[in-house]
Amino acid sequence: MLEPPQPASTAYATAGGVAITRTATPVEESVLTNLVADLDNRRGAVLSSGVDYPGRYSRWHLGYVDPPIELLAYGRRIEARALNERGTVLLPVVAAAMSGAGEIVLDEESRCAVVVPESAESFAEEERSRQSTVFTALRAVVAAFASPVDPHLGLYGAYGYDLAFQFEPVRLRHDRSADPHRDLVLHLPDRLVVVDRKRETSMLYSYDFEVGGRTTAGLARHTAPTPPPETHPVPAPPTPGRYAEIVRTARERFRRGDLFEMTPSHVLSGRCDSPAAFYERLRTQNPAPYEFFCNLGEGEYLVGASPEMYVRVQGDRVETCPIAGTIRRGRDALEDAAQIATLLNSTKDESELTMCTDVDRNDKARVCVPGSVRVIGRRQVELYSRLIHTVDHIEGRLRPGMDAFDAFLTHMWAVTVTGAPKQWAMQFIEDAESAPRRWYGGAVGFVGFDGSMNTGLTLRTAQVENSVASVRAGATLLYDSDPDEEERETLLKAQALLDTMSAPDRGPSGGDRHISTSTDESAGAGLRVLLVDHQDSFVHTLGDYFRQHGAEVVTLRYGFPVERLDTLEPDLVVLSPGPGRPADFGCAHLLAALEARGLPVFGVCLGLQAMVEYAGGSLDLLPRPAHGKPGSVRVVTEDEEANRDSGLLAGLGSSFTAGRYHSLYATPENVPGFDVLAVTDDPGEVRVAMALADDVRRRWAVQFHPESILSATGRAGHHLVANVLRLARSSDRHPQGAAAV
């Protein structure tokens, strides 16, 4: 008879000097079923993935109860609590790590708290994820427990939507002070059940810790049970038509060019007496890449089956899988195929995903190695219980010195739950929605002490308090959106979750495209580029393109003192795209300073518009916004031979396709002081000046987006960036002193 497997122990020390002993014991998978039931009354979480999509997702399952330590955040106050005797052994390590992040306002045997101040210093955009936030304290805690030995030990839990306001300023309309909610709940568990479905193993990992002569060995693991919930009435459903009105308001903002894409949401509610039973039904009836059930303590639970990755990090590789494009499932496989064909042939849904991917690439470009951000899966189809989605898969490699929290913060929050440009979209959300989002649009998951991270967006999620489950749902909007249809989509998403609380779901159950990164790295070698950020969602991808061609890039937000031009001494200034109008960003003031210093300047989209207005031209409004749309660009310069060999559009041929995100435009007849090099060539559209040049004053501009994936065909965007750098370097166009007027 075979002997039962014996426990195996591993001992190691963390970077902060904590001695850890891990014991691994084979267990039956049914242990997780009992653990789920315990979570109705005890803190902890179960995380699982119920789908296999090769290259993106595989099935796994893990859980824990009775964590010894929890971390909570209320705005900039972050608190650590010991939940049992084992927690009091670990708390001094956590408290010492957190103390470096801010002012200690509470220091007890079982609790400590720190208030993290706002950063006083100014950060370049490439270092923005290192500004002072509660993540400064979290990063220090992870550093204290850091070790490459164990892939499972770490911090597990939920990140609320309002955390973004520590990273990006938004004018708050809702008063949070009267009823403050937790913005963060993370647990440090000391016992984990991990089911690996690839290896077909099920293990219980138990951890003991030794700190400063004290040890957790022999101490009880149980924590106090969470109190039974009160019973509250279910809130009334949202007013019919209100969401459609928000869509109409957003469409007007799209028309003006303030927004390209928008994801507002609203809330439906239902009765939920057992979150544990709800979770088990949900993961059975609606398998998803990120299934979770979290008892956050204080009578609050999160139960969800999210289809979308937020951020996943392994080593220096960071991944995301933005979703945009949604259609209802068919009644059978044949109807599914017809629905998929409809979805893939929808230009609106393609534009939605294009914008999401362009914003996501931009987010990564802030913290990733130049040229490493790649689309490795384009418009891939994923099927869920009631819906079909199209998904892109994007990866990048973190720059040396960057970590999982940098990857997390640079994506905060995903464009698929906010919009683009992201800051303007988040302000719209705050102004238009009737209450703070709380957990919706945030993230749930794990950051490992080995440096890894795996988090899903908090979508298709019920937030349960006092037996009432609140389900927030949104839809991705474009100018093309039909208000009533978008409202119906949100109700469908929310109702799928609410129905699962009480009744079985009778509905169905549940080639990569690669963009080359090879490039000529010599065009910008030795050149310093100052990239001016006009609050656009694609700035960092644009900067990444210049870096791929060898240039040094520094990104500053608009409004910086013009004296910084004298200290930075850039060889080229790039005016980024942006929402709104040039006057919103004081572009004329900066252009005057550049002219006075004789600095070469290249404008993209809003940058072109600013240069036209500064030169005395005027701008018109397109009859229909071109947001996330491919445009046919036709070269019309009179000196075609010179342009073909060495001009702004060299190497692009007589016509090419480029990505457009604009409502404002300049006509070719109204650009004083510039040569018009290219115009739109789309039948039935107004004629738009798409590329301008003033080689004498060293001013160049394009109305399209070279950094968009819509400009990737034939590497048009890269050719353009290389041309700009060559023009800026060219000695015969490099005069000293002020430019001629």
Side-chain angles (χ1 to χ4, degrees):
M1 184 174 180
L2 294 175
E3 292 292 328
Q6 297 300 308
S9 292
T10 302
Y12 62 95
T14 74
V18 181
I20 298 180
T21 302
R22 182 192 69 194
T23 302
T25 307
V27 294
E28 296 294 325
E29 189 176 334
S30 59
V31 170
L32 270 176
T33 304
N34 298 330
L35 191 152
V36 170
D38 287 342
L39 289 177
D40 265 345
N41 302 297
R42 293 158 67 184
R43 282 180 176 84
V46 176
L47 308 174
S48 53
S49 174
V51 299
D52 287 295
Y53 283 111
R56 292 198 299 286
Y57 302 118
S58 60
R59 295 184 304 136
W60 51 267
H61 203 175
L62 64 82
Y64 64 91
V65 293
D66 297 328
I69 293 285
E70 70 175 357
L71 298 171
L72 315 170
Y74 300 84
R76 288 186 168 271
R77 175 190 169 105
I78 183 166
E79 182 172 330
R81 297 178 183 174
L83 300 176
N84 56 22
E85 284 186 276
R86 299 171 66 83
T88 62
V89 174
L90 290 172
L91 190 63
V93 180
V94 176
M98 288 171 43
S99 66
E103 177 189 359
I104 300 174
V105 294
L106 178 67
D107 188 6
E108 300 175 352
E109 183 183 11
S110 61
R111 291 195 305 165
C112 68
V114 167
V115 173
V116 182
E118 293 189 29
S119 295
E121 59 182 303
S122 175
F123 284 80
E125 290 301 298
E126 291 81 3
E127 304 298 326
R128 193 165 181 77
S129 56
R130 293 305 174 103
Q131 65 185 305
S132 184
T133 67
V134 294
F135 288 88
T136 308
L138 293 181
R139 186 179 270 118
V141 172
V142 171
F145 288 89
S147 169
V149 173
D150 188 276
H152 305 299
L153 193 61
L155 300 177
Y156 291 77
Y159 304 82
Y161 180 84
D162 278 9
L163 288 169
F165 304 149
Q166 298 183 33
F167 186 66
E168 292 287 1
V170 168
R171 183 184 65 257
L172 300 182
R173 180 175 74 90
H174 302 292
D175 181 12
R176 272 83 167 168
S177 62
D179 185 21
H181 298 294
R182 297 174 295 175
D183 295 324
L184 171 83
V185 177
L186 298 178
H187 296 148
L188 197 172
D190 60 0
R191 195 167 44 176
L192 284 159
V193 178
V194 179
V195 176
D196 186 328
R197 301 198 185 278
K198 282 186 176 179
R199 296 180 175 85
E200 297 184 349
T201 61
S202 181
M203 303 291 291
L204 170 64
Y205 294 100
S206 300
Y207 301 86
D208 274 307
F209 307 88
E210 185 176 340
V211 181
R214 298 179 65 193
T215 179
T216 61
L219 297 180
R221 296 180 185 269
H222 285 281
T223 62
T226 56
E230 302 175 13
T231 301
H232 285 199
V234 174
T239 302
R242 186 183 183 279
Y243 189 88
E245 278 303 310
I246 294 176
V247 178
R248 293 185 182 96
T249 303
R251 290 183 79 241
E252 177 60 25
R253 299 290 296 276
F254 297 148
R255 191 187 70 81
R256 297 207 311 256
D258 294 347
L259 297 169
F260 306 145
E261 185 175 59
M262 183 68 242
T263 309
S265 65
H266 58 168
V267 180
L268 282 77
S269 300
R271 176 71 57 197
C272 181
D273 294 317
S274 172
F278 172 34
Y279 165 75
E280 291 287 28
R281 282 197 298 271
L282 186 63
R283 63 183 297 264
T284 299
Q285 297 173 15
N286 188 26
Y290 290 91
E291 306 156 349
F292 50 88
F293 170 30
C294 305
N295 182 334
L296 302 177
E298 301 182 15
E300 185 174 21
Y301 306 82
L302 290 180
V303 184
S306 174
E308 185 167 346
M309 181 190 301
Y310 176 56
V311 171
R312 185 166 66 192
V313 177
Q314 190 67 44
D316 68 347
R317 185 186 189 220
V318 54
E319 296 173 86
T320 51
C321 294
I323 291 176
T326 300
I327 198 168
R328 185 192 292 265
R329 286 288 300 267
R331 288 174 295 182
D332 54 30
L334 294 179
E335 285 195 3
D336 275 348
Q339 291 290 81
I340 290 169
T342 300
L343 181 60
L344 291 177
N345 285 304
S346 166
T347 56
K348 170 188 174 291
D349 288 298
E350 183 176 10
S351 292
E352 284 184 15
L353 189 55
T354 293
M355 279 193 260
C356 290
T357 294
D358 276 344
V359 174
D360 187 285
R361 292 166 64 233
N362 178 77
D363 290 339
K364 286 182 179 62
R366 193 197 310 248
V367 298
C368 285
V369 172
S372 70
V373 178
R374 304 187 303 154
V375 179
I376 58 176
R378 173 65 171 162
R379 297 201 79 195
Q380 298 183 324
V381 174
E382 292 184 355
L383 282 71
Y384 295 95
S385 65
R386 299 192 182 194
L387 299 172
I388 304 171
H389 295 302
T390 47
V391 181
D392 281 359
H393 189 180
I394 307 160
E395 71 169 7
R397 297 285 174 175
L398 291 171
R399 297 201 316 265
M402 293 292 177
D403 60 18
F405 283 121
D406 293 302
F408 188 98
L409 287 167
T410 198
H411 289 87
M412 187 178 278
W413 286 112
V415 60
T416 49
V417 292
T418 54
K422 196 178 289 186
Q423 289 173 259
W424 288 47
M426 292 177 76
Q427 186 65 63
F428 182 94
I429 288 168
E430 177 69 14
D431 294 339
E433 294 184 355
S434 59
R437 286 189 161 188
R438 298 188 64 181
W439 300 110
Y440 175 80
V444 171
F446 155 75
V447 56
F449 295 149
D450 66 344
S452 64
M453 175 179 281
N454 196 0
T455 53
L457 271 175
T458 313
L459 302 173
R460 316 285 162 85
T461 298
Q463 183 255 338
V464 184
E465 283 184 297
N466 302 313
S467 298
V468 176
S470 299
V471 177
R472 189 177 281 269
T476 302
L477 311 180
L478 299 179
Y479 181 78
D480 306 334
S481 295
D482 177 271
D484 297 324
E485 181 58 35
E486 298 294 352
E487 181 167 315
R488 284 191 291 271
E489 180 182 316
T490 66
L491 298 177
L492 176 66
K493 290 174 178 176
Q495 200 60 50
L497 209 63
L498 293 170
D499 289 349
T500 308
M501 293 179 191
S502 56
D505 187 345
R506 301 297 184 187
S509 58
D512 294 352
R513 189 167 72 184
H514 184 100
I515 295 178
S516 171
T517 58
S518 62
T519 186
D520 172 14
E521 296 183 354
S522 63
L527 296 183
R528 175 178 293 173
V529 173
L530 170 58
L531 176 56
V532 181
D533 180 358
H534 295 127
Q535 293 186 318
D536 195 65
S537 290
F538 315 131
V539 176
H540 301 293
T541 303
L542 185 60
D544 183 79
Y545 273 35
F546 280 90
R547 291 189 184 95
Q548 289 183 53
H549 289 277
E552 175 191 354
V553 180
V554 175
T555 310
L556 296 179
R557 289 198 178 182
Y558 78 96
F560 61 86
V562 294
E563 291 76 13
R564 293 203 67 178
L565 296 170
D566 302 318
T567 56
L568 286 172
E569 297 183 332
D571 298 290
L572 173 68
V573 177
V574 177
L575 305 183
S576 85
R581 304 185 70 95
D584 294 334
F585 304 98
C587 292
H589 176 64
L590 177 60
L591 283 167
L594 298 176
E595 185 178 40
R597 290 162 173 80
L599 291 173
V601 58
F602 172 59
V604 177
C605 198
L606 180 84
L608 176 145
Q609 296 158 14
M611 294 164 72
V612 168
E613 282 195 331
Y614 182 73
S618 60
L619 304 173
D620 294 312
L621 197 63
L622 288 171
R624 187 180 185 85
H627 293 162
K629 301 288 200 285
S632 179
V633 180
R634 180 166 58 90
V635 177
V636 295
T637 177
E638 294 180 359
D639 190 0
E640 291 184 4
E641 183 176 351
N643 183 70
R644 182 175 62 249
D645 296 336
S646 60
L648 179 65
L649 304 181
L652 295 176
S654 60
S655 66
F656 57 94
T657 299
R660 298 176 64 185
Y661 292 86
H662 67 106
S663 295
L664 298 173
Y665 75 103
T667 64
E669 298 78 21
N670 192 16
V671 288
F674 288 94
D675 294 325
V676 178
L677 304 184
V679 298
T680 48
D681 193 28
D682 293 311
E685 288 200 5
V686 297
R687 202 159 173 260
V688 177
M690 296 299 282
L692 306 176
D694 178 356
D695 290 334
V696 175
R697 293 177 174 85
R698 297 182 299 156
R699 301 181 299 171
W700 308 279
V702 293
Q703 182 58 68
F704 57 87
H705 282 241
E707 79 286 354
S708 171
I709 58 172
L710 295 174
S711 305
T713 302
R715 294 181 56 77
H718 279 288
H719 280 302
L720 181 82
V721 168
N723 291 342
V724 171
L725 289 166
R726 292 189 187 101
L727 289 169
R729 179 192 299 280
S730 179
S731 59
D732 61 340
R733 297 187 175 103
H734 221 112
Q736 299 296 318
V741 178

